[in-house]
Amino acid sequence: MSQVHEQYVEVAPGVRVWTERRGAPDAPALLLVMGAQASGLGWPEPLVEALAARHHVIRYDHRDTGRSDRPFDENPYAVTDLARDAIAVLDGLGVERAHLVGMSLGGMLCQLVLADHPERVLSATLMGTCALSETPYVRPDGVRVPVAELPGIAPEILEMWSRPVEDHGPEAELDRRVEHWRLLSGDQLPFDAPYFRELERGIIHHAGRHLESSAHALADSSGMVRTAELAANRVPVLVVSATAEPVFPVPHPQHIAQVVAGARLVEIPGMGHALPPAVLRPLGKAILEHAAGGAVESVPAGR
């Protein structure tokens, strides 16, 4: 395992976030940006280690997650502030430019950084997310589909998200999180419940608490559209198309690839809105090939 360095970075007055770095300090920086209400430890160790073989890898806890400060209840912030936090993390660690990898909300935050601070980005890899663009999706037959008519989140996930989270203790919370990952994983790969239970047990231990914050779900999500800026993008962008994705299903990845200038698409069959062991090798390979500027080949999960 590569050497790990932990550090707190101030991203706004009085607001600190936890960061972790590994890999050679003089290697190209690669910033991992997790999804809503998710700790940086949501990026699995094998993937982080694989990326650290060639990069100075940085992962961090968003505000109101993990070991970072939790200011939302007293000082609410917007989703766009979370994108500014990504830049503040780079600033705080003395990183001029980085490869970005974003999942779910993290993919949206990476798009905001691409649009607003392209000079800080070497490349970007986006997965499990949607385009911050109002440009319609063009189907293979040429029909233009308005963004509002693209497929939505799977009903069973929306139903789970609608339920209030009650505190029945750490083990019951682990049960809830594992069930959440089962739904997010889709139905094309066998679900590894023990893996996700251990992942979440580590996240709870890291945070020192077992209840998640709802801050990101409550944060102001206005002002995120970047249609013109993404259409003028000049940074290399890779979009991961996960065939079992239940939150932003096909054709959301294809839409992103259409509206972000120069973006390329890679398919990982079997992948859903999760990072189980079976997808880590093809995903890591795709990220590394893209960051190196080479051709990216679609690889089935489990290979």
Side-chain angles (χ1 to χ4, degrees), residues 10-74:
E10 187 172 68
V11 296
V15 179
R16 299 190 315 157
V17 302
W18 173 90
T19 72
E20 177 202 89
R21 294 173 289 147
R22 69 179 77 187
D26 57 349
L30 189 150
L31 180 69
L32 297 169
V33 187
M34 240 307 147
Q37 292 150 218
S39 160
L41 266 64
W43 295 103
E45 286 291 322
L47 178 62
V48 177
E49 280 292 297
L51 298 176
R54 299 190 201 171
H55 293 277
H56 188 57
V57 178
I58 304 162
R59 61 179 175 175
Y60 68 102
D61 290 339
H62 293 297
R63 305 184 195 192
D64 286 278
T65 74
R67 294 181 179 174
S68 293
D69 289 343
R70 298 173 181 254
F72 187 84
D73 288 346
E74 294 185 6

Side-chain angles (χ1 to χ4, degrees), residues 132-185:
L132 301 185
S133 172
E134 295 174 324
T135 301
Y137 167 64
V138 181
R139 293 188 339 203
D141 61 7
V143 173
R144 294 168 65 84
V145 181
V147 173
E149 295 179 15
L150 291 176
I153 301 167
E156 59 271 23
I157 294 175
L158 288 176
E159 192 279 329
M160 186 174 189
W161 288 354
S162 71
R163 296 181 222 155
V165 177
E166 299 176 345
D167 186 0
H168 297 293
E171 292 303 316
E173 173 62 13
L174 283 170
D175 291 341
R176 186 192 71 83
R177 294 191 189 190
V178 170
E179 174 62 13
H180 189 213
W181 282 122
R182 185 184 70 79
L183 296 177
L184 292 176
S185 294

